[in-house]
């Protein structure tokens, strides 16, 4: 009881203390560094999933009408699903908690029968970063094709050669072709609308479905200055992530035709089921889609700014320096005075700049991702820090 009475006065004392910072500034990340920049702000370039919900987004969640979504009675979830289905020109949508679950549910729906096969890129997120769930949980065989190192596109003839009917007892039957747009491991490459249309025509000719892992599909559309509906017109299904770049705390929406979504709801149950009063987070996802898409160009410009500065100081930028969207991969200059093992730790400890490393064969590549919680000033700080670290000895 005594502590409760003291609490308001304690807050006032802390607020008057030297160096006091608001909760908002603490959320954005401040700490002391042993050496390096006097700027105490942490610049986190590891992913565009590290963003914090804005106050208006939180308020949208707090005021959202809710119901039991498993019964189809959550109006906020229904609005989110309908909004994205309309936006992408599809019949229905389905809200799921994660992008990985969204992709798995999509492929379970397309590969509804046994002995099915999906054609995927050999550096795609589906192939590398989803726990082998197509085989382990879905019983789906994956046929993995090489993607071009610059364009991130699979070759049409390779796809034709990989396609298999069920007229040979030795083979699984090809049911679906999967694309990733943008393509993460290819440095955020945006697959152009012409290629998407070509893939749509090809899959129709072969009698299979076309699924797009659209974790960053809005980035791809913004980079090409086209609407997502035009970009995804020939596609049968798209998984749309709300927490990559758009700032929502969680969630993905799968869109497609009515029968596909019926099968997807059944698959969602087998993967853990629906959520109940999910409108709280669905409303934040809806806010993200309605307010945070157009600003993605700022992230693209910041990523391009950082890549250009690093390239001018001897860093090796993926895709010959081409940056389409908000992320890219890089390796250290050949004359770097620190090893790849030391780089990330020193950058974080001394300058408060975070990047992930260990990508590619040999672990030479690092990834930098621009997002809504990183300003142009933060990008300039990160560039200065990275250059200083490789010259620090």
């Amino acid at each position: 009881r005594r502590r409760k009475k003291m609490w308001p006065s304690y807050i006032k004392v802390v607020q008057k203390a030297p160096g006091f910072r608001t909760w908002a500034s603490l959320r954005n990340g401040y700490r002391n560094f042993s050496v390096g920049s006097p700027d105490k702000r942490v610049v986190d370039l590891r992913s565009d999933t590290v963003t914090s919900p804005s106050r208006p987004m939180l308020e949208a969640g707090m005021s959202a009408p809710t119901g039991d979504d498993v019964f189809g009675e959550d109006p906020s979830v229904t609005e989110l699903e309908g909004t994205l289905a309309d936006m992408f020109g599809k019949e229905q949508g389905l809200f799921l908690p994660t992008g990985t679950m969204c992709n798995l549910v999509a492929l379970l729906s397309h590969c509804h029968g046994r002995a099915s096969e999906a054609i995927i890129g050999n550096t795609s997120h589906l192939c590398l970063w989803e726990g082998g769930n197509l085989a382990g949980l879905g019983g789906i065989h994956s046929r993995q094709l090489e993607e071009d190192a610059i364009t991130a596109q699979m070759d049409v003839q390779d796809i034709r050669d990989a396609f298999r009917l069920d007229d040979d007892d030795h083979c699984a039957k090809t049911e679906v072709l999967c694309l990733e747009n943008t393509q993460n491991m290819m440095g955020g490459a945006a697959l152009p609308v012409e290629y998407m249309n070509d893939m749509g025509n090809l899959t129709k000719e072969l009698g299979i479905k076309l699924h797009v892992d659209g974790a960053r599909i809005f980035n791809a559309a913004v980079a090409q200055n086209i609407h997502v509906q035009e970009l995804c017109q020939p596609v049968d299904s798209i998984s749309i992530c709300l927490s990559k770049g758009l700032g929502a705390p969680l969630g993905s929406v799968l869109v497609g035709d009515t029968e596909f979504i019926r099968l997807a709801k059944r698959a969602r149950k087998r993967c853990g089921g629906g959520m109940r009063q999910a409108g709280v987070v669905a409303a934040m996802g809806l806010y993200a889609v309605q307010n945070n898409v157009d600003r993605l160009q700022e992230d693209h410009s910041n990523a391009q700014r950082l890549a250009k500065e690093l390239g001018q100081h001897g860093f090796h930028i993926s895709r010959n320096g081409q940056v389409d969207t908000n992320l890219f991969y890089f390796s250290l200059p050949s004359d770097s005075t620190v090893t790849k093992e030391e780089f990330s730790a020193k950058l974080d400890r001394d300058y408060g700049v975070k990047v992930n490393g260990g990508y590619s064969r040999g672990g030479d590549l690092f990834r930098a991702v621009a997002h809504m919680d990183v300003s142009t000033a933060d990008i300039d700080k990160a560039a200065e820090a990275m250059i200083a670290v490789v010259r620090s000895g």
Side-chain angles (χ1 to χ4, degrees), residues 149-150 185-188 303-325 327-334 343 364-368 383 386-387:
I150 303 298
M185 290 303 296
M186 295 296 179
Q304 290 158 2
R305 182 186 184 95
L306 179 59
K308 181 179 179 181
E309 185 67 18
L310 294 182
Q312 290 174 347
H313 287 82
F315 288 78
H316 306 287
I317 310 300
S318 61
R319 302 180 66 219
N320 296 329
Q322 180 179 333
V323 179
D324 292 349
T325 55
L327 67 91
F328 65 93
Y329 290 84
F330 65 92
S331 57
L332 304 185
S334 54
F343 178 74
D364 292 329
L365 293 182
F366 299 84
R367 187 177 76 160
M386 291 179 189
I387 294 163

Side-chain angles (χ1 to χ4, degrees), residues 181-182 190 216-228 231:
N181 201 6
T182 64
R216 296 183 177 91
I217 192 67
F218 287 108
N219 294 86
V222 168
Q224 300 174 61
N225 195 30
I226 60 174
H227 195 277
V228 288
L231 185 60

Side-chain angles (χ1 to χ4, degrees), residues 126-323:
L126 273 165
C127 182
L128 298 179
W129 306 115
E130 300 191 6
N133 59 16
L134 293 187
L137 300 178
I140 301 166
H141 184 259
S142 64
R143 193 75 178 272
Q144 301 162 16
L145 303 185
E146 184 177 359
E147 297 136 309
D148 184 86
I150 303 298
T151 67
Q153 299 174 15
M154 288 181 276
D155 181 75
V156 171
Q157 191 56 52
D158 288 347
I159 296 170
R160 289 185 180 279
D161 290 344
F163 170 73
R164 299 191 286 195
L165 292 169
D166 59 353
D167 57 356
D168 187 329
D169 295 344
H170 300 88
C171 302
K173 181 180 184 293
T174 306
E175 295 284 4
V176 59
L177 169 67
C178 302
L179 306 177
E180 182 181 336
N181 201 6
T182 64
Q183 216 286 6
N184 169 39
M185 290 303 296
M186 295 296 179
L191 299 179
V193 63
E194 296 82 6
Y195 179 74
M196 299 283 282
N197 289 334
D198 289 344
M199 293 299 99
N201 292 333
L202 177 61
T203 52
K204 285 181 175 57
E205 176 190 336
L206 298 177
I208 61 177
K209 300 299 183 180
L210 178 59
H211 172 70
V212 170
D213 176 357
R216 296 183 177 91
I217 192 67
F218 287 108
N219 294 86
V222 168
Q224 300 174 61
N225 195 30
I226 60 174
H227 195 277
V228 288
Q229 185 171 144
E230 181 182 355
L231 185 60
C232 297
Q233 188 278 326
V235 173
D236 295 293
S237 61
I238 312 104
S239 61
I240 308 152
C241 185
L242 305 171
S243 62
K244 285 189 171 73
L246 299 183
L250 62 89
S252 289
V253 176
L254 181 64
V255 296
D257 67 30
T258 300
E259 175 61 12
F260 170 77
I261 295 298
R262 184 188 74 81
L263 294 173
K265 288 186 74 172
R266 292 177 60 82
R268 183 179 69 174
K269 173 60 70 176
R270 300 196 298 275
C271 292
M275 298 176 282
R276 298 295 179 176
Q277 285 69 37
V280 174
V281 287
M284 288 192 269
L286 183 62
Y287 178 92
V289 170
Q290 292 174 339
N291 294 275
N292 293 339
V293 172
D294 290 341
R295 62 149 310 280
L296 290 173
Q297 185 55 53
E298 300 173 30
D299 299 338
H300 299 179
S301 297
N302 279 334
Q304 290 158 2
R305 182 186 184 95
L306 179 59
K308 181 179 179 181
E309 185 67 18
L310 294 182
Q312 290 174 347
H313 287 82
F315 288 78
H316 306 287
I317 310 300
S318 61
R319 302 180 66 219
N320 296 329
Q322 180 179 333
V323 179

Side-chain angles (χ1 to χ4, degrees), residues 4-25:
K4 185 176 181 181
K5 290 180 179 178
M6 290 175 60
W7 184 248
S9 59
Y10 173 75
I11 290 291
K12 292 178 182 178
V13 171
V14 172
Q15 288 176 337
K16 293 177 181 177
F20 171 78
R21 295 186 184 275
T22 64
W23 166 248
S25 66

